[in-house]
Amino acid sequence: MDAVLAAARSGDTAALRSLLDPDAVLRADPGAVRRGVRPAHGAPAVARALAARAAAARPALVDGAPGLLAAPSAIYVFTAPAGPITSVDVLADPSHLSHRTIAVPA
C-alpha cells in the first residue's frame, strides 16, 4: 500500500500502472458511485482512477488485508493473489462497510 499511496499522492500513473495487472479492474459499490467513483478496466484506466481518488487515503487493514481508508467512510480493497493488483473494490455503501473490519495502524 505504501507504493500505491506514494504513486497516487505524486500523481505518478506510470508507477501505479506498474503495480497493476494489465487487465486490472476497479469496481465501485452504489455508495462509491454516488461519491463520483466510476468503475474502470485495464491498468491505465485503473491507475488514473487511483491517482485521482486515492491520494488522500491512508493505509488500513480491511478484514486483516492491506487496504486504504478514504474519508469520509470509504475503503479501497485490493486483490493481488500472487503479484500485481488484479482488482480494486471501492466500498462506501453503509451496508457493505458494516460487514468489514477496518483497522488503521497507529
Side-chain angles (χ1 to χ4, degrees):
M1 290 303 89
D2 292 337
V4 170
L5 280 176
R9 289 179 177 154
S10 68
D12 188 348
T13 57
L16 282 167
R17 278 194 314 271
S18 74
L19 301 170
L20 298 167
D21 183 87
D23 291 320
V25 295
L26 183 138
R27 296 179 288 257
D29 75 2
V33 170
R34 283 191 296 276
R35 294 170 189 232
V37 178
R38 298 290 172 249
H41 180 261
V46 174
R48 285 190 302 273
L50 287 173
R53 303 295 249 160
R58 58 187 177 171
L61 292 176
V62 179
D63 296 332
L68 299 176
L69 175 65
S73 303
I75 58 172
Y76 290 71
V77 181
F78 293 81
T79 303
I85 297 165
T86 57
S87 68
V88 182
D89 290 286
V90 185
L91 307 175
D93 194 276
S95 66
H96 292 150
L97 295 175
S98 67
H99 298 293
R100 302 290 182 150
T101 302
I102 304 164
V104 179

